[in-house]
Amino acid sequence: MQVTRTSRMLRKTLLGLGLSLALTGSVMAATMADERPDPHSYSRPDQVTVTHLALDLKVDFDHRALVGNATLMLEHQREGVDSLVLDTRDLAIDKVETKVGDQAWQQAKFKLGDDDEVLGRALTIELPAKANEVRVHYRSRPEASGLQWLTPEQTAGKNQPFLFSQSQAIHARSWVPLQDTPQVRFTYEAHIQTPKGLKAVMSAANDPQDQDGDYHFEMPQQIPSYLMALAVGELRYQSMSERTAVYAEPSVLEAAAAEFEDTETMMDAVEKRFGEYRWGRYDLLILPPSFPFGGMENPRLSFITPTVIAGDKSLVSLIAHELAHSWSGNLVTNAVWADLWLNEGFTTYLERRIMEDLFGTDRMRMEAVLGFEDLKADLERHEAGDTQLAVQLAGRDPDDVFSNVAYEKGRLFLAWLEASFGRERFDPWLKSYFDRHAFQTMTTDRFLVDLDKNLLQKHPGVVSMDEVKAWIYQPGLPKGHPVPSSNAFSDIDNLSAAWLKGEKAAHELPVKNWTTHEWLYFINQLPRDLGVARMAELDKAFKLTDSGNNEVVHSWLKLAIVNDYSTAYNRLDQYLTGIGRRKLITPLYEELMKTEKGQAMAQRIYREARPGYHPLAQGTMDEVVGKPK
Ligand code: BES
Ligand code: ZN
């Protein structure tokens, strides 16, 4: 597995080299490439920027295609710009037109560049002088990396097909030709036609009324391309409060609305501390179980996995997280993917503050410890360079560098600042940071300037810039980093030790009031070589194989694989074919692949499960398990 991954990386590096070699053929082209402000986009927003997008698309389930056109409004950043470069991946371009002021549309010359495995293809359009509108007529391909087309069988209702997009990090280009870099912000409108009986929703103002196949959307706030989002399916609407509602398939609607009823209170909590919510409504869309992420912070409409509907609100930190992105990420946006920690670290920090405000310090501390455990595992697993907050990403696929470092090390860094300065000084800085940079992009360098000027220098002698830089540019964790702890978990440690030593039987453990977090901690801390007999003892006492909590079952199944506890294998099979959330399925496949017996099982299950997975999850699992022949 390690080998496949390394060789894929090597191939990518070589491809990257090939690309730059090809470009040096022309000095001009090489210079252009060097000046690209974002290594993950072909676009040149320093020359001309897209300020508004108008989409007109038909959703064709039969051909798994979005078909129509995208009109882009342009703002020239310098004189004499004669071309516009857009990002595309697997798009079929039919025709391009340009427009100057009020003049008629004119057919334009365009060229699709070579296909790069990571970046896709540059679409270079010849621009007449002062052209301020471009219209691209195109269709997406069935294999678009940013779309998943589901058959009715893959939905909860089994009646209607379903489509959803996932644009972050660089997949928007697989369904819209655009400047696919977080440095460009634009407003958008869309006209989306769907088969009758289906409802379309977008990361925009949504109309809860059904429009029977003909939908109009408007997004008045400027957003970066990775927040473009569309979903189509048999969707219903249920209001939760003045500003919040759920969209979901009919059979999950009620459970979702009950699970996430605290969303408005979460909004109030952030607003009180860190400034107003600037996006109007905040709704949730519950996706089918193959959604490859836990959640995605699409503005006004977060996309949410159904795997967190546990029935007891135990996994709602996910909502706190996606909501928090309305400040960190959607309002103040990482300028390049190497600075992902500016989005995810800040958001994980805010997520914990929300959880503390709503559910108390004990729960927040438990979640912090669980996050810290995940971080420690990732710090061991990844190369030193990838354990810095600001990582080196040029020439690499942003999806390949994804880990808990941006999230939990980023969060720990902010928690360290908070502890050093005290909330009375830290909170006002953070609030003003969102204000100062609202609707703008942020780099690690500019963050440092802001922090220095508005926090460090205002309160001299608390922390030094060198200490701050160690957090950001050094691998691992700096000396004196905070260590999250939880009294509830210390109790679990003692009970677990007593059980392991045989001083207590499993059924004597006082689990009645254990929360999901305590169960997670208990299972994750058990010795990996527990043995089948002890697994069976726990299972008999607590029915863990049958647990309905997807996180708890995940931890339990991982232990089951290590111990070859075959009683759980039916459940494992059902779990891996039933859900497609990468964070939950990847570690299970990885664990299976460590033994010969496990490999056979992984391959058998994956052959069956693969067609139901999202393209991104398929890509990951192809690397872990191998592509079924
Ligand atoms: N924005 C991320 C998802 C993402 C990150 C997609 C990078 C593509 C590239 C989202 O906010 C997120 O972090 N989701 C997490 C949940 C969170 C509670 C840690 C997830 O999906 O697991
Ligand atoms: Zn996030």
Side-chain angles (χ1 to χ4, degrees), residues 375-393:
L375 173 62
K376 284 193 289 190
D378 272 1
L379 289 177
E380 282 189 14
R381 197 167 39 217
H382 290 277
E383 281 175 35
D386 290 340
T387 68
Q388 297 168 206
L389 283 179
V391 287
Q392 219 59 51
L393 257 195

Side-chain angles (χ1 to χ4, degrees), residues 18 21 28 133 207 244 317 320 394 410 420 564 615:
L21 283 179
M28 190 46 191
E133 274 183 76
D207 185 345
T244 70
S317 61
S420 305
D564 196 15

Side-chain angles (χ1 to χ4, degrees), residues 2 14 102 121 139 156 209 242 244 275 281 360 379 405 436 451-452 459 493 516 524 527 558 600 609 618:
Q2 206 52 45
L14 290 175
D102 293 337
R121 306 172 75 166
R139 61 168 60 223
Q209 296 299 315
E242 190 123 335
T244 70
R281 295 192 56 85
L379 289 177
V405 172
R436 272 190 297 281
L451 183 76
D452 189 35
H459 311 286
D493 282 333
T516 292
N524 292 346
K558 208 158 61 183
Q618 289 180 346

Side-chain angles (χ1 to χ4, degrees), residues 166 168 293-297 318 321-322 325 344 402 407:
Q166 166 56 42
Q168 195 182 7
F293 290 99
M296 179 62 215
E297 65 271 27
L318 176 84
H321 181 95
E322 303 314 334
H325 272 304
E344 299 301 344
F402 191 74
Y407 291 77

Side-chain angles (χ1 to χ4, degrees), residues 233-430:
E234 189 182 2
L235 293 171
R236 298 283 185 279
Y237 169 91
Q238 186 166 328
S239 171
M240 295 190 293
S241 69
E242 190 123 335
R243 290 188 291 179
T244 70
V246 180
Y247 291 89
E249 288 193 69
S251 65
V252 270
L253 190 62
E254 218 170 299
E259 193 84 14
F260 306 135
E261 65 182 0
D262 299 321
T263 306
E264 176 96 28
T265 316
M266 290 183 174
M267 292 174 80
D268 295 340
V270 199
E271 285 192 304
K272 202 173 91 228
R273 295 190 185 279
F274 301 112
E276 76 175 307
Y277 179 78
R278 305 200 195 209
W279 305 87
R281 295 192 56 85
Y282 181 70
D283 297 331
L284 305 173
L285 170 69
I286 313 304
L287 280 301
S290 66
F291 186 58
F293 290 99
M296 179 62 215
E297 65 271 27
N298 299 316
R300 290 177 181 233
L301 182 68
S302 283
F303 283 23
I304 302 295
T305 171
T307 62
V308 291
I309 305 175
D312 58 3
K313 301 183 181 177
S314 58
L315 305 176
V316 296
S317 61
L318 176 84
I319 307 296
H321 181 95
E322 303 314 334
L323 169 67
H325 272 304
S326 307
W327 286 262
S328 44
N330 299 5
L331 208 55
V332 184
T333 308
N334 55 207
V336 285
W337 296 114
D339 291 333
L340 182 71
W341 80 274
L342 291 170
N343 278 16
E344 299 301 344
F346 275 69
T347 296
T348 306
Y349 174 80
L350 289 180
E351 168 201 327
R352 300 270 151 76
R353 294 292 300 267
I354 296 172
M355 293 309 287
E356 181 182 3
D357 278 349
L358 265 79
F359 300 97
T361 310
D362 288 349
R363 174 154 176 187
M364 183 277 278
R365 293 176 70 133
M366 288 195 274
E367 293 183 351
V369 174
L370 291 171
F372 188 60
E373 296 296 330
D374 290 344
L375 173 62
K376 284 193 289 190
D378 272 1
L379 289 177
E380 282 189 14
R381 197 167 39 217
H382 290 277
E383 281 175 35
D386 290 340
T387 68
Q388 297 168 206
L389 283 179
V391 287
Q392 219 59 51
L393 257 195
R396 302 165 79 187
D397 186 339
D399 286 341
D400 286 349
V401 194
F402 191 74
S403 82
N404 284 297
V405 172
Y407 291 77
E408 295 292 346
K409 183 178 172 182
R411 182 257 166 190
L412 214 57
F413 164 55
L414 294 172
W416 170 76
L417 284 175
E418 178 205 305
S420 305
F421 286 95
R423 283 187 178 175
E424 68 286 1
R425 288 182 280 188
F426 178 80
D427 283 5
W429 166 75
L430 185 51

